[in-house]
Amino acid sequence: MAKFRCLRSGNIVEFTQAVDIDSMVGHEGYERVIEDGEAVVVVQEPVQVLPLVVKPRGRPAKNKQ
């Protein structure tokens, strides 16, 4: 069994099937939660940061002819 916490809502979901656990490990919206006795340890996967793309603001200028 494995528990995962949603990063957006904070809900904790528990999975028992190996296929479900494998698919949740690769999901970027969830992080794995490991219970150690009474303490809860949250294991965070490394997050890949994409470069920020800056587009010009507003409408393009008219071509005056």
Side-chain angles (χ1 to χ4, degrees):
M1 292 191 305
K3 292 185 180 182
F4 291 88
R5 183 176 69 88
C6 177
L7 296 176
R8 179 172 284 188
S9 66
N11 293 338
I12 295 179
V13 184
E14 185 174 354
F15 293 100
T16 56
Q17 300 292 325
V19 174
D20 296 332
I21 294 170
D22 291 339
S23 66
M24 292 303 291
V25 168
H27 198 286
E28 58 191 42
Y30 288 85
E31 61 186 4
R32 190 166 184 170
V33 176
I34 300 173
E35 291 185 5
D36 186 26
E38 292 185 17
V40 176
V41 178
V42 177
V43 178
Q44 292 186 350
E45 307 281 328
V47 178
Q48 180 182 9
V49 178
L50 298 175
L52 181 63
V53 178
V54 179
K55 299 191 320 187
R57 295 182 65 185
R59 185 176 179 171
K62 291 185 179 179
N63 293 332
K64 295 183 181 180
Q65 292 181 1

